[in-house]
Amino acid sequence: MAESKPPGPLSAKLFKAIQHVETGRQKNPSTVEGGRDGLCYGPYQIREEYWKDACEQDPTLMEGGKTWKNCLGEGSFLYSEKLMQAYVSRYATKEKLLRKPTNEDLARIHKGGPNGHKSALSARYWLLVSEQLK
């Protein structure tokens, strides 16, 4: 994992917990292609739609010809973390949630999309992530 996290609401500890849930058992998480359809990439299992959404929030994520494929391989931890910071900064806001976002909100939005913090499907995911935070 990167030595220091990119700026944003996700802490280094939360990144580590999410990565453990997503790809923690893999020998080399940066090379994992997963998901039911094989279209989730890298240590945090980023989908192309997520990448596009994060790039709308922060167009600098496409500089130098970067694409969704940069979520795989060398440098994928830091690049994916920058994407995640942009994504949750777009959807996990005090204005949207009507309160300060929590680690639970951040993790569930990462997993479940813009309204993931309300999704029953992301509730189990949060239980797994929260176990890693202990």
Side-chain angles (χ1 to χ4, degrees):
M1 184 143 64
E3 291 180 26
S4 63
K5 74 174 188 73
L10 292 154
S11 68
K13 188 173 181 179
L14 186 54
F15 275 128
K16 186 175 181 180
I18 290 172
Q19 187 271 314
H20 183 83
V21 170
E22 295 288 357
T23 58
R25 294 188 183 116
Q26 302 297 323
K27 185 175 182 177
N28 188 352
S30 66
T31 63
V32 175
E33 295 180 47
R36 282 179 247 138
D37 52 10
L39 296 175
C40 294
Y41 284 178
Y44 301 103
Q45 294 296 276
I46 306 287
R47 289 189 170 276
E48 187 173 20
E49 296 80 17
Y50 185 112
W51 175 82
K52 288 177 183 176
D53 208 334
C55 290
E56 285 178 13
Q57 176 69 11
D58 181 359
T60 68
L61 292 165
M62 295 183 289
E63 287 179 352
K66 288 205 177 345
T67 71
W68 170 51
K69 303 277 182 169
N70 289 95
C71 293
L72 277 173
E74 188 176 336
S76 63
F77 270 95
L78 182 58
Y79 184 67
S80 295
E81 289 171 1
K82 288 177 181 178
L83 286 168
M84 291 168 67
Q85 294 288 29
Y87 189 85
V88 299
S89 291
R90 185 173 193 177
Y91 297 112
T93 65
K94 187 174 183 177
E95 295 74 26
K96 182 176 180 195
L97 303 178
L98 303 176
R99 58 182 164 71
K100 182 179 178 187
T102 64
N103 280 341
E104 179 175 355
D105 297 319
L106 299 170
R108 291 178 69 183
I109 287 170
H110 165 70
K111 183 65 172 181
N115 293 306
H117 61 292
K118 299 179 193 176
S119 168
L121 297 174
S122 68
R124 170 133 172 78
Y125 180 79
W126 168 244
L127 292 175
L128 297 172
V129 172
S130 66
E131 282 298 310
Q132 296 305 311
L133 290 171
K134 293 180 181 173

